[in-house]
Amino acid sequence: MSGHPTMPIDIDEPDEAVRVRLVVNGRKTVCEVAPRDTLVDCLRNQLELTGTHAGCEMGACGACLVQLDGHAVHACLMFAVQAEGARIDTIEGLSESGAIADLQAEFHRRNALQCGFCTPGMLMTAHELLSNVARPSREAIRDALSGNFCRCTGYEAIVDAIAAVAEARAARAAEGTPQ
Amino acid sequence: MKARAFSYFRARTVEEALDAHARGGDEARFIAGGQSLVPALALRLQAPRILIDINHIDELRGVRRDGEWLRIGALTRHCEMLSEPLIAEFAPLLRAAAPFVAHPAIRNRGTLGGSVALADPSSEFPAVVLALDAEIEIAGAAGRRRVRAGDFFLDLFETALAPGELLVAVHIPLFRSNQRIAFDELARRRGDYALVGCGIVGSFENDLIQDIRIAFFSVGNVPTRARHAEAALVGARMDADRIVAAQAGLDNDLAPADSDDVPPAMRLHLARVLLGRLLGRIGEAA
């Protein structure tokens, strides 16, 4: 059906295991996946990083958010094979590095954890938001959280926690950098 | 839910992608950002046997000025609409629309080319490229061609792309100093699909509207120009009477389909309200 000359291209078979090299939470990792395995499948089933939750598996609930090369993405909306060579940071990685320790403490203090299922995604969104905007308004926080579902409806406490961390970080930054 | 098993191919050039698609035929699909395609695969609304990943094709990346046009590579992510200085300067309507597209994590991955190629009638960017009179660059076995946005969106999820053709770039006429833009949408919740949305580009001379392009989305099978509303405005000042006349023109421009939750009369009413707000904003920008 095409006038193209046949080129030697390498198309994997549908159920053939494909080797994927990733840097997950700072460690080099090799996984064997099927092309249709999503990144969340790979993280949970192969690497046993079960903090990344599989919820709606269609990009609506935000429970599967991870950082791909430093930016929040849905691990359910890409195939693991697509992440070849990428740097993935999961909730476990951010937790171990202490990058979100203040967010975690404030979620705990304000009872924003609820059942906990959505919490990893909420923290990913909060981390990304506060990395981009130092002191977001409550409206901006709500806007950013529009991609995360909390079925316990803990939103008010979650917004409180993120706003409080933003203020605390801004105050610390002001102390550290005399005007 | 899981996608049906498929073969995966990572294309490095447009030619490789086209060739792989030609081999797969009806069973092949390109994947760019995947933010609409992956859910469709998970729900088995689509079940291709070969998925051709175009994310690593350099030619599809980047934003650059090309004479009187801004060339935006198909792989340009939605988040780049907010951060790219060339878009802020030369295609501000795209920047204005970007915050309304889904959620931040979706915007980190979704692409302009994917949104335009999918042609979801509820999506922001197809209507924006229509308002901008953009040209869509397409690569296929027979070579390259450019199609005006007005000729690109044919019907529900149906475009001028033939099977196996790849959307390479979107070309936008450079924003001019005598132009004004406005964009907004009405949705139940930020990030949800709009009940109705609209993007406008107007050119002014001595405060008179020289020409104006008004494109609505979420009101029909394709993004829709409001030509009667536009005609009511051309040659006039943007005053209250003209805005009312333009709103009345929408009765002839839009024919929203009936749906369970939003009756056509309500959607048309919301379109009038939205148009009034946007034209008011453009008028105040004088």
Side-chain angles (χ1 to χ4, degrees):
Chain A
M1 65 171 282
S2 152
H4 280 285
T6 302
M7 282 191 272
I9 57 175
D10 179 24
I11 299 179
D12 300 315
E13 290 302 311
D15 278 321
E16 187 181 320
V18 183
R19 281 165 69 86
V20 180
R21 291 165 304 162
L22 308 166
V23 178
V24 180
N25 298 330
R27 284 182 281 276
K28 283 188 181 177
T29 311
V30 179
C31 291
E32 292 217 339
V33 298
R36 68 165 164 172
D37 290 340
T38 61
L39 182 58
V40 71
D41 294 332
C42 175
L43 293 171
R44 290 181 59 85
N45 302 340
Q46 301 231 359
L47 302 176
E48 297 184 0
L49 293 168
T50 53
T52 303
H53 291 162
C56 68
E57 298 196 71
M58 48 192 301
C61 79
C64 70
L65 290 176
V66 298
Q67 290 212 313
L68 171 78
D69 294 327
H71 297 286
V73 301
H74 292 91
C76 75
L77 290 191
M78 64 184 292
F79 298 105
V81 63
Q82 292 189 281
E84 165 72 27
R87 195 178 89 239
I88 307 292
D89 292 290
T90 70
I91 192 69
E92 289 89 350
L94 293 186
S95 209
E96 283 165 21
S97 73
I100 55 168
D102 53 352
L103 276 167
Q104 289 168 308
E106 199 63 28
F107 268 58
H108 187 228
R109 198 170 81 77
R110 292 180 180 264
N111 200 23
L113 297 166
Q114 298 279 357
C115 83
F117 187 83
C118 73
T119 306
M122 292 286 182
L123 290 168
M124 282 287 167
T125 294
H127 180 56
E128 168 118 330
L129 175 66
L130 297 187
S131 303
N132 295 328
V133 187
R135 293 174 76 177
S137 65
R138 289 181 73 83
E139 190 187 8
I141 294 170
R142 286 191 171 280
D143 196 14
L145 288 176
S146 67
N148 294 81
F149 286 177
C150 167
R151 294 199 168 187
C152 316
T153 71
Y155 292 108
E156 205 59 33
I158 291 165
V159 174
D160 289 345
I162 296 170
V165 169
E167 289 303 315
R169 286 186 185 180
R172 280 203 302 278
E175 274 172 31
T177 52
Q179 300 293 308
Chain B
M1 299 232 278
K2 295 292 166 211
R4 174 193 187 186
F6 55 80
S7 303
Y8 172 82
F9 175 65
R10 176 180 286 195
R12 295 284 179 183
T13 64
V14 169
E15 290 65 36
E16 266 189 8
L18 295 176
D19 184 63
H21 202 295
R23 293 203 198 183
D26 294 346
E27 300 279 4
R29 287 281 280 142
F30 295 122
I31 184 168
Q35 303 299 282
S36 300
L37 180 60
V38 177
L41 297 179
L43 293 167
R44 307 262 175 134
L45 297 171
Q46 298 197 36
R49 283 189 181 278
I50 299 176
L51 209 55
I52 299 157
D53 192 345
I54 61 169
N55 279 285
H56 299 268
I57 301 177
D58 285 340
E59 195 206 320
L60 304 187
R61 270 183 237 285
V63 179
R64 66 164 197 265
R65 202 176 153 173
D66 180 14
E68 291 306 300
W69 298 84
L70 190 69
R71 180 198 188 273
I72 305 179
L75 283 175
T76 307
R77 314 272 167 191
H78 302 328
C79 59
E80 292 177 76
M81 304 299 154
L82 295 165
S83 62
E84 170 57 54
L86 286 171
I87 288 176
E89 185 176 357
F90 294 119
L93 189 63
L94 276 170
R95 188 179 204 288
F100 294 89
V101 180
H103 317 296
I106 300 277
R107 298 200 288 267
N108 282 342
R109 191 96 187 122
T111 67
L112 177 65
S115 175
V116 172
L118 180 63
D120 186 321
S122 307
S123 285
E124 290 81 1
F125 289 137
V128 166
V129 300
L130 180 64
L132 289 170
D133 202 12
E135 292 188 7
I136 317 297
E137 183 181 347
I138 297 168
R144 301 283 174 115
R145 64 197 174 104
R146 276 167 74 151
V147 177
R148 286 180 70 169
D151 299 321
F152 184 79
F153 301 105
L154 302 180
D155 204 344
L156 192 65
F157 298 111
E158 194 186 327
T159 69
L161 284 163
E165 284 189 320
L166 184 64
L167 195 161
V168 173
V170 176
H171 299 261
I172 312 270
L174 298 185
F175 183 68
R176 299 190 305 274
S177 58
N178 69 331
Q179 288 185 316
R180 299 176 203 161
I181 56 116
F183 182 93
D184 207 347
E185 68 182 42
L186 299 172
R188 290 204 168 87
R189 187 185 65 131
R190 175 57 73 96
D192 282 358
Y193 285 115
L195 298 168
V196 58
C198 182
I200 303 179
V201 185
S203 301
F204 286 74
E205 198 170 290
N206 300 324
D207 263 354
L208 296 180
I209 302 159
Q210 215 174 16
D211 61 66
I212 189 161
R213 297 174 62 92
I214 302 172
F216 277 91
F217 58 98
S218 281
V219 291
N221 283 356
V222 286
T224 307
R225 285 273 298 278
R227 291 180 185 277
H228 289 86
E230 292 170 4
L233 294 165
V234 170
R237 276 173 210 286
M238 189 75 83
D239 58 24
D241 288 347
R242 282 297 102 198
I243 292 177
V244 169
Q247 287 172 308
L250 291 185
D251 291 354
N252 295 313
D253 289 323
L254 307 177
D258 204 358
S259 61
D260 291 343
D261 53 344
V262 187
M266 178 181 161
R267 217 182 278 272
L268 191 56
H269 170 75
L270 293 175
R272 286 193 210 104
V273 170
L274 189 62
L275 182 65
R277 284 185 195 170
L278 290 176
L279 294 179
R281 269 187 232 164
I282 283 186
E284 281 165 19

